[in-house]
Amino acid sequence: MDTPALRMEALVASPQYEQAKASYSNAFVNGAGRQKPGSVGFALWLLYDIFCATNNRLPTSEEVMALADAHGLNRTSAKNARLKWGAYRGFLPPRTGEYAKGPLS
């Protein structure tokens, strides 16, 4: 039986996950920093990258929620991560404000 937990395990064990983990950098681009490997945000960003590569377009808000549900992740986190992911990748306008400057250290 295919459950959200099994889908999440398969994602973490995938070659795409390992490749994304190996290429991780905490540099801020367009006012957004990448999510850290092992975090929910990291998994969501990878799901969005896979979706774009597979469908040749950005995921809609409804599709983002469906991806989150399919992998047992929070819908609100998925929507928020999509905004940061889109800004980082250059698909959405750059983020501005206090948190767009990156870490102070």
Side-chain angles (χ1 to χ4, degrees), residues 37-50:
S39 69
V40 169
F42 187 82
L44 287 165
W45 281 38
L46 180 57
L47 287 171
Y48 304 153
D49 287 337
I50 293 170

Side-chain angles (χ1 to χ4, degrees), residues 10-11 15 20 25 30 34 39 47 50 56 58-59 72 77 81 88 99 102:
L11 178 69
S25 165
N30 294 327
R34 287 187 60 189
S39 69
L47 287 171
I50 293 170
N56 212 17
L58 299 178
S77 296
Y88 185 88
Y99 297 107

Side-chain angles (χ1 to χ4, degrees), residues 39-91:
S39 69
V40 169
F42 187 82
L44 287 165
W45 281 38
L46 180 57
L47 287 171
Y48 304 153
D49 287 337
I50 293 170
F51 182 93
C52 282
T54 304
N55 298 295
N56 212 17
R57 64 179 176 80
L58 299 178
T60 65
S61 190
E62 292 79 20
E63 290 166 332
V64 163
M65 289 188 296
L67 284 170
D69 290 343
H71 291 81
L73 303 172
N74 183 288
R75 289 176 156 205
T76 302
S77 296
K79 286 182 180 179
N80 290 335
R82 180 183 178 268
L83 295 175
K84 285 181 84 175
W85 168 82
Y88 185 88
R89 296 285 188 226
F91 300 132

Side-chain angles (χ1 to χ4, degrees), residues 24-36 45 84 87-89 95-105:
Y24 172 77
S25 165
N26 66 351
F28 267 59
V29 176
N30 294 327
R34 287 187 60 189
Q35 304 295 302
K36 292 182 181 170
W45 281 38
K84 285 181 84 175
Y88 185 88
R89 296 285 188 226
R95 296 181 60 184
T96 60
E98 175 184 352
Y99 297 107
K101 296 175 186 159
L104 298 176
S105 58

